[in-house]
Amino acid sequence: MTIDRLKRQGLPVATVALVILAVWYAGALWLNAPQAIEGLNRAGRPWEAMDLVNAAFAMKRPVLPTPGQVWADFSASVLNYPVTHIRSLVYHAGVTAGSALTGFAMGVALGTLLALGIVHNRTLDASLMPWVIASQTIPILAVAPMIVVILGNLGFTGLLPKAVISMYLCFFPVTVGMVKGLRSVDPLAQDLMRTYSASAAQVFWRLRLPASLPYLFTSLKVAVTISLVGAIVGELPTGGQAGLGSRLLSGSYYGQTIQIWSALFMAALLSILLIGAVSLAERLVVRGNGGRR
């Protein structure tokens, strides 16, 4: 990377990061100051402004932890325990990733099947698409407990209810993206295929599917992110002891705000990794089909 490119791309990002850190520290001081002042007054010693700053940034249960406190807890949770330990953030991230990826696979399969039916059948186009759109108007926080209760009564516990909640969220962008992609075929190319007496299967595999790949992978990037959200939401009503959602819930119960922020950062990191995996698959598949991405 040249110095000019580093300045052009890296400097704006670094500037925004510094602004975020400055606002974060200022917010931590503002929100934690009342408790810190109360603690300093209880100690009965005279104190100055720096004593207040140090106390606000060193609270065990702050209203808003500082980035340094979050990083210390994050690194300790990742590095100080084996990945199979219940206190390891990597262990909790692995549990959530398993549910999210299972739901993502189910959502992609369901979304693709729905898109194929909608594109190739006018009756399904008129009847299914409104219900597909209407399904996303129901808040996931209202749907998740019902799915957990229904599947629990049917004897399904553990990973499946969380995967179903993830599937419920991520099938929608896949359906919409695939429908748009399958219908994006150049009409002249379709006419050309008809002149060659191509079958419906040949039109699909050689024309419609390659045309839909850019739309599909754009949808997959959205779907894989919200599948993670679905898995975390699904962990909240199950009462499990593992997963980032359980970590967030236990932190909320016991006022461990630093633990909550560490879990949030691990969820963000996991989301970045999943999007990176989909982007890599996009490059391999689209480039393999003669695309430019």
Side-chain angles (χ1 to χ4, degrees):
M1 181 179 289
T2 63
I3 295 178
D4 289 340
R5 188 177 177 186
L6 185 63
K7 288 181 179 177
R8 193 171 59 251
Q9 297 183 352
L11 193 58
V13 175
T15 303
V16 172
L18 288 174
V19 170
I20 292 174
L21 286 175
V23 171
W24 192 338
Y25 272 105
L29 179 60
W30 177 50
L31 292 173
N32 299 334
Q35 293 183 44
I37 292 173
E38 188 179 342
L40 290 170
N41 289 336
R42 257 201 319 269
R45 296 190 301 270
W47 52 272
E48 299 178 349
M50 282 309 298
D51 296 323
L52 173 61
V53 173
N54 292 331
F57 289 169
M59 294 175 64
K60 290 185 178 179
R61 293 185 177 181
V63 177
L64 178 62
T66 64
Q69 287 177 304
V70 175
W71 171 249
D73 184 80
F74 181 88
S75 57
S77 301
V78 170
L79 301 176
N80 292 355
Y81 303 99
V83 294
T84 55
H85 197 278
I86 190 68
R87 299 192 67 176
S88 170
L89 260 182
V90 179
Y91 169 76
H92 291 285
V95 172
T96 302
S99 304
L101 290 175
T102 304
F104 174 70
M106 294 164 63
V108 171
L110 177 61
T112 304
L113 288 175
L114 288 174
L116 291 174
I118 289 170
V119 169
H120 290 94
N121 189 299
R122 290 184 180 178
T123 304
L124 292 179
D125 184 16
S127 59
L128 275 183
M129 203 59 188
W131 289 107
V132 169
I133 296 171
S135 69
Q136 301 303 304
T137 62
I138 306 172
I140 187 61
L141 287 175
V143 175
M146 291 190 293
I147 293 176
V148 171
V149 170
I150 292 172
L151 292 180
N153 284 328
L154 294 175
F156 297 106
T157 58
L159 183 143
L160 187 63
K162 294 179 284 185
V164 170
I165 293 168
S166 292
M167 179 194 71
Y168 172 80
L169 284 180
C170 68
F171 87 93
F172 176 73
V174 176
T175 304
V176 174
M178 277 295 283
V179 167
K180 189 172 182 180
L182 292 171
R183 286 176 172 167
S184 67
V185 177
D186 187 351
L188 293 177
Q190 282 185 297
D191 293 339
L192 182 63
M193 293 291 282
R194 289 195 191 97
T195 60
Y196 292 153
S197 300
S199 65
Q202 288 174 320
V203 172
F204 173 76
W205 288 109
R206 298 186 180 184
L207 200 60
R208 287 188 183 275
L209 185 60
S212 70
L213 288 179
Y215 296 89
L216 173 63
F217 278 102
T218 302
S219 302
L220 291 182
K221 290 175 188 173
V222 177
V224 77
T225 304
I226 57 178
S227 71
L228 185 62
V229 174
I232 292 174
V233 171
E235 288 167 351
L236 299 179
T238 56
Q241 300 297 316
L244 293 176
S246 302
R247 188 88 170 169
L248 292 171
L249 196 61
S250 64
S252 176
Y253 279 153
Y254 299 109
Q256 299 289 345
T257 51
I258 301 176
Q259 175 182 315
I260 294 173
W261 280 87
S262 296
L264 286 175
F265 270 89
M266 179 55 84
L269 181 62
L270 184 57
S271 180
I272 291 171
L273 291 175
L274 292 176
I275 292 175
V278 174
S279 299
L280 179 62
E282 178 185 16
R283 289 187 180 183
L284 295 175
V285 173
V286 175
R287 188 176 296 173
N289 281 274
R292 292 183 179 178
R293 292 189 179 191

